[in-house]
């Protein structure tokens, strides 16, 4: 059997139709008005029907009031409602009677049953029934309280009308307050053993002052058949009844109970959320499939807490729903108490969507940080209103982790770590990635710091001045001593020259050892120390080799100045360019000594003095 035939057969059975004409009656009944109520066939010979007729007879025999009928206020499937004046009390009432073409015994019984159930349910949210009368033709007249108002369906999506009539600026909150009153009516009805079966916006009236009434109890059934009820028992239901756009799966032709009304209340909540009934489609098969599946598709940006309430109320299986209207009411009240928090988190979620797109596009850091700040403020404000708000906590975590991961990809784990510290328990994977990147960054920064320390030309400046000054003073002192004592020649022997250089070399070694923490800490200090050691060692080498090459001490001293000039020039070129005055002085001293040999000692003294002055001017004032 195909899908079309299967659906037709199901509905034919549920509606008590002849299968041979099911297609015609099915389309005629449902296709034109999916939002209309499908009323079950009334068994005019049943015990409940007989009790209903007896009630009408007693009401007609004992009536003491007369009605002055007025204009028609509205029409339904079987009956119409007219305004009337109750003559004995002088009050305006509403009178519900059958349409002229609906005068069958079945229709009469159905209307009497509705009058009975409405009359016995005395509740602020159920229209009071004053009494039952009959017209000249014996058709029932049900006298009701007249409601000056509008059906809920005319207000449910009309914020302007609601604000104008009731001063409510939050349409959704106002609709929730109406739904709460409908739930209250159902709680009372269920305690009295009655299931409505046809809850929808068209069956809810909103009065002039905001009073709410559940109307149209024409297909209501009794939970318990105690022998007194005028309603058909819920356990005997085997025909489809209700409004397809809101219908619960069991309403396709199975027994119902109070959980059926819970489903219908959930369907009303869905209408408030989505601004449409839950079961709509392009053909009957699709609508029936939606009824049986009962998997509502919620719009985006609806708080998950509200979706969860609606989803549970509209579960396909009754045992998976809220088991009573009390449970449903408590869940909805809890949501309303936290709605302010949920609204804040809902707005923050929209900002979070923008943040996701910006992070995916790797937008500039300032733009991303600004969006993170907006998300953080929204979600944190939401959590201040309701600390257990799951959406806010989830959204805040996602926003923080999104930006932290982006900063990590951009190579800035320190910023990522600072952002991630806002979470008590961040993602273990992301936290480990940030930790690894931080460790690598710390190691890199440590290497960089060591390198910067090694290359710091300012470290040990005064020590350099003191070392060069002390060495220069000793060397200058030796030259002066030779000049003053007249022992230039004796001092100028190769042996004395070698000994003097070795003494200076030893002094340099002692100074370096005593202040090795400073002098050996940086590359420049080590290079300068190496240059001095090389210079003095070369002097010793020249003093040793010169006699073997037939060079006099004077010529060897000129060679020293050549070494000085070479070393000073290399230092100025590679270590400290501001040592160029010493390089120039050494070059001039070498030239003077080479041309005028007798002036070599004075040239050497001038070069030594230049070294002391260059070092003092270069390093001492800055440190001091």
């Amino acid at each position: 059997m195909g899908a079309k035939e299967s659906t037709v057969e199901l509905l034919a059975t549920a509606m008590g139709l002849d299968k041979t004409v099911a297609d015609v009656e099915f389309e005629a009944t449902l296709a034109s008005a999916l939002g209309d109520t499908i009323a079950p066939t009334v068994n005019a010979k049943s015990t409940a029907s007989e009790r209903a007729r007896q009630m009408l007879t007693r009401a007609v025999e004992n009536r003491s009031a007369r009605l002055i009928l007025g204009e028609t206020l509205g029409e339904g499937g079987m009956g119409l409602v007219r305004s009337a004046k109750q003559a004995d009390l002088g009050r305006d009432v509403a009178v519900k009677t059958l349409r002229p073409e609906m005068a069958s015994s079945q229709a009469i019984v159905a209307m009497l049953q509705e009058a009975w159930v409405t009359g016995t349910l005395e509740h602020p949210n159920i229209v009071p029934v004053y009494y039952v009368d009959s017209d000249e033709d014996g058709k029932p007249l049900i006298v009701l309280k007249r409601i000056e108002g509008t059906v809920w369906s005319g207000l449910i999506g009309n914020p302007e009308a609601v604000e104008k009539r009731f001063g409510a600026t939050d349409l959704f909150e106002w609709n929730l307050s109406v739904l709460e009153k409908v739930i209250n009516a159902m709680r009372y009805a269920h305690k009295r053993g009655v299931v409505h079966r046809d809850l929808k916006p068209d069956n809810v009236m909103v009065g002039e002052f905001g009073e709410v009434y559940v109307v149209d109890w024409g297909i209501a059934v009794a939970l318990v058949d105690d022998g007194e009820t005028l309603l058909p028992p819920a356990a005997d239901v085997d025909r489809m009844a209700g409004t397809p756009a809101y219908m619960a799966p069991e309403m396709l032709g199975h027994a119902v109970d109070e959980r059926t009304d819970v489903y219908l209340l959930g369907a009303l909540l869905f209408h408030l959320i989505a601004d449409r009934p839950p079961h709509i489609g392009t053909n009957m098969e699709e609508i029936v499939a939606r009824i049986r599946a009962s998997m509502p598709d919620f719009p985006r940006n609806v708080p998950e807490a509200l979706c969860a309430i609606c989803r549970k109320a509209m579960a396909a299986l009754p045992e998976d729903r809220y088991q009573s209207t009390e449970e449903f009411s408590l869940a909805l009240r809890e949501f309303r108490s936290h709605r302010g928090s949920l609204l804040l988190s809902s707005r923050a979620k929209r900002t979070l969507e923008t943040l996701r797109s910006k992070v995916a596009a790797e937008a500039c850091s300032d733009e991303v940080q600004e969006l993170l700040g907006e998300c953080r403020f929204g979600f944190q404000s939401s959590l201040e209103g309701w600390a257990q708000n799951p959406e806010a906590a989830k959204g805040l975590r996602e926003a923080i982790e999104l930006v932290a991961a982006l900063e990590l990809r951009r190579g800035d784990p320190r910023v990522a770590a600072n952002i991630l510290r806002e979470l008590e328990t961040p993602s273990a994977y992301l936290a480990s990635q940030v930790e690894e990147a931080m460790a690598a960054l710390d190691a890199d920064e440590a290497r960089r710091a060591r390198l910067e320390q090694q290359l710091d030309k300012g470290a040990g400046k005064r020590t350099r001045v003191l070392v060069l000054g002390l060495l220069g003073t000793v060397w200058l002192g030796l030259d002066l001593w030779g000049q003053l004592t007249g022992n230039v020649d004796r001092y100028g022997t190769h042996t004395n020259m070698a000994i003097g250089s070795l003494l200076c070399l030893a002094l340099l070694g002692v100074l370096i050892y005593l202040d090795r923490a400073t002098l050996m800490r940086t590359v420049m200090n080590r290079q300068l120390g190496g240059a001095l050691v090389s210079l003095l060692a070369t002097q010793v080498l020249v003093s040793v080799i010169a006699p073997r090459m037939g060079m006099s001490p004077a010529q060897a001293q000129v060679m020293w100045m050549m070494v000085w000039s070479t070393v000073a020039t290399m230092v100025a070129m590679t270590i400290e360019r501001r040592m160029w005055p010493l390089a120039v002085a050494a070059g001039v001293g070498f030239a003077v000594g080479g041309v005028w040999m007798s002036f070599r000692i004075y040239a050497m003294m001038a070069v030594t003095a230049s070294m002391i002055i260059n070092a003092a001017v270069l390093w001492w004032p800055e440190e001091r």
Side-chain angles (χ1 to χ4, degrees), residues 218-232:
I219 63 171
V221 292
L223 288 170
V224 179
D225 186 3
D226 57 3
E228 298 293 332
T229 180
L230 303 181
L231 296 179

Side-chain angles (χ1 to χ4, degrees), residues 5 19 36 45 298 316 325 439 566 609:
E5 292 74 17
K19 295 180 183 178
D36 292 341
K45 297 181 181 181
F298 298 99
T325 50
T566 302

Side-chain angles (χ1 to χ4, degrees), residues 40 87 194 237 240 303-304 324 347 431-432 434 458 464 482 569 580:
V194 177
V237 171
M240 182 171 70
E304 179 55 33
S324 67
R347 295 191 189 109
S432 65
V434 170
R464 289 198 294 268
T569 301
W580 65 265

Side-chain angles (χ1 to χ4, degrees), residues 247-261:
M247 196 174 284
E250 65 269 22
M251 295 173 70
L252 292 172
H254 304 283
V256 299
D257 57 24
E258 60 265 47
R259 294 172 297 182
T260 303
D261 279 349

Side-chain angles (χ1 to χ4, degrees), residues 48-246:
S49 300
E50 182 59 32
R51 287 197 292 269
R53 288 196 188 87
Q54 293 173 4
M55 180 189 73
L56 176 62
T57 302
R58 289 194 298 271
V60 171
E61 290 174 351
N62 297 322
R63 70 189 179 203
S64 58
R66 292 297 181 211
L67 297 171
I68 303 172
L69 298 178
E71 63 180 352
T72 299
L73 299 176
E75 296 187 23
M78 290 192 306
L80 54 86
V81 179
R82 299 175 63 182
S83 65
K85 176 75 75 172
Q86 187 178 351
D88 55 344
L89 294 178
R91 64 179 174 182
D92 292 328
V93 294
V95 176
K96 187 171 184 179
T97 187
L98 289 171
R99 297 163 63 96
E101 66 273 19
M102 300 294 294
S104 66
S105 59
Q106 290 182 347
I108 291 173
V109 169
M111 180 167 284
L112 290 174
Q113 288 176 336
E114 180 181 1
W116 177 85
V117 67
T118 310
T120 57
L121 297 177
E122 297 182 10
H123 188 271
N125 300 121
I126 299 174
V127 180
V129 173
Y130 294 146
Y131 62 91
V132 177
D133 206 334
S134 67
D135 60 15
E136 294 79 1
D137 299 327
K139 291 187 293 184
L141 298 175
I142 302 174
V143 183
L144 307 152
K145 175 182 178 179
R146 180 169 177 174
I147 302 172
E148 298 290 344
T150 309
V151 291
W152 190 18
S153 57
L155 300 170
I156 201 168
N158 193 339
E160 293 81 8
V162 169
E163 182 175 4
K164 181 179 179 180
R165 294 184 58 179
F166 307 107
T169 57
D170 187 338
L171 178 64
F172 187 73
E173 180 63 26
W174 182 83
N175 280 325
L176 284 179
S177 69
V178 174
L179 179 59
E180 283 279 8
K181 293 171 183 175
V182 175
I183 296 172
N184 288 337
M186 290 304 100
R187 290 176 63 188
Y188 178 76
H190 292 172
K191 289 186 181 301
R192 297 298 301 271
V194 177
V195 176
H196 189 284
R197 282 208 297 174
D198 197 22
L199 297 173
K200 58 183 177 180
D202 284 342
N203 286 345
V204 178
M205 293 288 297
V206 181
E208 184 179 0
F209 302 102
E211 59 273 36
V212 176
Y213 299 98
V214 178
V215 299
D216 203 345
W217 296 75
I219 63 171
V221 292
L223 288 170
V224 179
D225 186 3
D226 57 3
E228 298 293 332
T229 180
L230 303 181
L231 296 179
D236 294 343
V237 171
D238 59 358
R239 297 288 185 268
M240 182 171 70
T243 303
Y246 299 88

